[in-house]
Amino acid sequence: MSPEQRRALILRLSSASGDDLPSQRRALGPREVQVVVTMVSAVVLVPWIVYLAIALPRVYVSHNWDQAWVGFDLLLLMLLVATAVLGYLRRQLVMLTAFATGVLLICDAWFDWMTSNRADVGWAAMTALLVELPLAVLLITEAVRLLRVVPIRWGVLRKNAHA
């Protein structure tokens, strides 16, 4: 089957459910529920951020500080290994793990820098700028690139189409 024939078949099959007919009214589906829940969450988060900015103490002694950081770094390690293995095996799930790993690396850089004392802030900034953030950019941009390449290879999108 040629790429054009495969593309035509996929498009025919994807529209076979009749979801794209404007004359039919249907109940809220999972996509609409997800969009509404996400928007409501974003609206509720704004006053919560304002409240935290006003109410939280500038200095706070934390219990289980070591366990929190070790747990976070273990999660980061698991995602890095999963991304490497999935990439080696050429599995599509690598897009998700690469993106998630990149986001966690950005979070790690931010919290390392923000929670460092004056003696360690230089080290935190250096590791963020030289290791964590470049690796995060690499992982996220590769995940986004794969999101475009996979549908093109399957014949769902043309090479010059906007994804």
Side-chain angles (χ1 to χ4, degrees):
M1 185 177 272
S2 73
E4 277 299 318
Q5 291 169 327
R6 187 174 32 233
R7 184 179 303 109
L9 177 62
I10 290 170
L11 292 175
R12 276 197 318 267
L13 290 174
S14 66
S15 65
S17 66
D19 288 343
D20 57 346
L21 298 176
S23 61
Q24 292 181 344
R25 298 292 267 179
R26 63 183 179 97
L28 288 179
R31 179 182 172 277
E32 290 82 6
V33 171
Q34 181 263 330
V35 169
V36 168
V37 168
T38 303
M39 288 302 299
V40 169
S41 298
V43 169
V44 169
L45 188 57
V46 172
W48 178 249
I49 292 169
V50 172
Y51 166 75
L52 290 177
I54 295 168
L56 285 178
R58 183 145 173 84
V59 176
Y60 180 78
V61 176
S62 175
H63 299 285
N64 303 318
W65 180 257
D66 55 343
Q67 294 170 359
W69 278 111
V70 169
F72 183 86
D73 284 343
L74 282 172
L75 176 63
L76 189 55
L77 173 65
M78 288 188 297
L79 279 171
L80 281 167
V81 169
T83 301
V85 169
L86 291 169
Y88 177 77
L89 296 174
R90 297 178 180 265
R91 300 290 190 258
Q92 290 181 22
L93 194 56
V94 74
M95 292 181 275
L96 298 176
T97 60
F99 194 89
T101 305
V103 170
L104 284 184
L105 283 165
I106 293 168
C107 293
D108 192 25
W110 173 257
F111 285 108
D112 282 347
W113 182 53
M114 291 303 294
T115 61
S116 294
N117 60 30
R118 289 182 189 208
D120 295 333
V121 75
W123 177 252
M126 187 173 64
T127 57
L129 293 173
L130 298 178
V131 179
E132 293 162 331
L133 295 178
L135 183 55
V137 167
L138 173 74
L139 289 166
I140 291 170
T141 55
E142 184 62 12
V144 170
R145 185 189 71 80
L146 286 172
L147 281 172
R148 177 162 168 69
V149 167
V150 169
I152 289 172
R153 288 207 178 141
W154 282 2
V156 178
L157 290 176
R158 288 183 178 85
K159 282 189 178 185
N160 58 356
H162 295 287

